[in-house]
């Protein structure tokens, strides 16, 4: 459950929030289950923040730090996360339909079972990401680094993986109907 004090400080603006985070670096912010939809959280320091089940739909996180953030089950539909630090973030079962994660760093992120329909992952870093059973229909993954990602049982129907790095990717059980791969993708050591 969200901590009211954390919500109050965030409502004061990003500058006030980031100053509070700097002065209270040992406190883990908790926004669990809150409705934070439609906010501009650009450049906000949200590393390690607890946001499981939070409604963050339509939020602009441009330049935010979401390193190790807990976003499992969160609604991030249409959110702007381009270029953001989501290293080791927990997004298990999250909904990110139509979100922009181009150039984002999702190294070691947990996206198991996430709804990623139409997500823009162009040039994102998904190295070692767990995308097991994720729905990536119509996702744009061109130029993304998926090295050693787990895509077991993922739905990649109609996804664009042109120019994606697929070294060590696990595609066992993945649906790839209509997906576009680079012509040389079979040269990568992948598990199918």
């Amino acid at each position: 459950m969200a901590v009211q004090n954390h919500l109050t400080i965030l409502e004061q603006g990003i500058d006030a929030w980031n100053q509070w985070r700097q002065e209270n670096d040992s406190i883990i912010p908790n926004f669990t289950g809150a409705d934070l939809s439609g906010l501009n959280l650009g450049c906000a320091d949200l590393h390690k923040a607890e946001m499981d089940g939070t409604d963050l739909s339509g939020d602009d996180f441009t330049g935010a730090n979401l390193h190790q953030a807990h976003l499992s089950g969160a609604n991030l539909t249409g959110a702007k996360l381009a270029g953001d630090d989501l290293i080791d973030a927990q997004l298990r079962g999250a909904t990110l339909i139509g979100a922009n994660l181009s150039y984002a760093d999702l190294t070691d992120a947990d996206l198991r079972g996430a709804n990623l329909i139409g997500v823009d992952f162009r040039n994102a870093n998904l190295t070692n990401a767990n995308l097991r059973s994720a729905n990536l229909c119509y996702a744009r993954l061109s130029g993304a680094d998926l090295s050693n990602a787990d895509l077991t049982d993922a739905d990649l129907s109609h996804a664009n993986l042109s120019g994606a790095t697929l070294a060590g990717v696990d595609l066992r059980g993945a649906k790839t109907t209509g997906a576009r791969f680079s012509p040389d993708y079979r040269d990568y050591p992948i598990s199918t």
Side-chain angles (χ1 to χ4, degrees):
M1 181 170 231
V3 175
Q4 186 59 47
N5 182 47
H6 298 169
L7 292 168
T8 301
I9 296 166
L10 187 63
E11 289 169 358
Q12 294 172 13
I14 300 305
D15 290 338
W17 173 257
N18 286 343
Q19 181 178 344
W20 180 82
R21 283 300 313 263
Q22 194 171 22
E23 294 168 358
N24 298 280
D25 64 347
S26 64
I27 297 174
I28 296 175
N30 190 334
F31 300 108
T32 302
D35 182 353
L36 300 176
S37 59
L39 296 180
N40 181 350
L41 297 171
C43 298
D45 183 354
L46 295 165
H47 79 280
K48 294 186 180 182
E50 297 285 345
M51 295 182 279
D52 294 332
T54 301
D55 186 355
L56 300 157
S57 56
D59 286 2
D60 185 350
F61 289 94
T62 305
N65 179 0
L66 292 157
H67 188 94
Q68 295 181 333
H70 293 262
L71 295 151
S72 294
N75 180 1
L76 290 146
T77 300
K80 295 176 185 139
L81 298 142
D84 287 350
D85 176 351
L86 286 142
I87 296 170
D88 203 25
Q90 302 299 310
L91 292 145
R92 189 174 187 174
T95 300
L96 290 107
I97 297 170
N100 184 349
L101 287 122
S102 59
Y103 294 94
D105 191 344
L106 291 121
T107 302
D108 296 316
D110 185 352
L111 293 142
R112 284 178 286 173
N115 189 343
L116 306 166
I117 295 173
V119 170
D120 184 353
F121 281 117
R122 288 176 295 169
N123 300 301
N125 185 352
L126 290 148
T127 303
N128 298 319
N130 189 340
L131 293 149
R132 184 180 285 259
S133 300
N135 186 346
L136 289 146
C137 290
Y138 297 97
R140 291 174 283 174
L141 292 146
S142 55
D145 187 349
L146 289 154
S147 298
N148 300 311
D150 185 354
L151 288 158
T152 304
D153 297 322
D155 190 346
L156 291 160
S157 300
H158 306 287
N160 182 355
L161 292 109
S162 299
T165 302
L166 300 171
V169 169
D170 190 342
L171 288 167
R172 285 177 291 177
K175 297 175 190 167
T176 58
T177 305
R180 287 183 283 163
F181 291 89
S182 295
D184 61 346
Y185 86 95
R186 297 214 186 265
D187 294 337
Y188 287 108
I190 59 176
S191 300
T192 55

